[in-house]
Amino acid sequence: MCLIFTCGEHTFRKEVEGYEGVICRCYNCGNHRARVLKSNPWFTFCFIPVIPLSFRGYQDVTCEICNFQQPLEHRPDVQAMRRGAHGPPPGIPLQHHGGPPPGGGPPPGWGGPGGGYGHKPNEPMRYG
């Protein structure tokens, strides 16, 4: 009689309270697909979780694209995004979202007057 037993490890993940819906930038790949997750690893026997490998779990900023994980305590920019936080920690500059850029023109990268496409709106484009 041959019995085969399988042992392994499974990690249960959920969003950390206060960071629900927060999406931030991944420091590894640069994409804006990182979320704050709490990970709880378990030892499994025959695919059944038996023994927790960590009682408190780990709070990490985890990228959904490259699966890079970084501890939340090393990301003060993400900690400032927590719901109910009272502003950013000192020393972290935030982006300026006020009015038009200095000089009164369109924002950088928007081309010149008329959209920068070289033709007027509602006029067919000419090639050649």
Side-chain angles (χ1 to χ4, degrees):
M1 181 179 195
C2 177
L3 296 176
I4 299 174
F5 297 104
T6 59
C7 297
E9 184 259 342
H10 180 75
T11 303
F12 295 95
R13 292 185 176 98
K14 65 177 181 176
E15 284 190 295
V16 177
E17 185 178 340
Y19 292 98
E20 296 93 349
V22 172
I23 297 175
C24 54
R25 184 176 172 270
C26 172
Y27 279 176
N28 186 47
C29 65
N31 290 305
H32 288 271
R33 294 298 296 166
R35 295 181 178 270
V36 181
L37 300 177
K38 182 174 184 177
S39 303
N40 293 311
W42 283 71
F43 173 77
T44 59
F45 180 74
C46 294
F47 304 104
I48 299 173
V50 180
I51 302 171
L53 299 177
S54 171
F55 290 107
R56 291 180 40 204
Y58 308 102
Q59 292 184 352
D60 295 326
V61 178
T62 305
C63 180
E64 297 175 351
I65 295 175
C66 69
N67 291 323
F68 178 72
Q69 295 180 344
Q70 185 176 22
L72 179 60
E73 56 267 7
H74 294 148
R75 295 287 305 264
D77 58 326
V78 178
Q79 292 175 0
M81 292 185 213
R82 182 177 181 144
R83 193 169 10 126
H86 301 289
I92 297 178
L94 298 177
Q95 282 185 323
H96 174 67
H97 294 289
W110 283 50
Y117 296 111
H119 67 279
K120 296 177 185 172
N122 300 326
E123 181 180 307
M125 294 181 64
R126 295 186 202 166
Y127 299 99

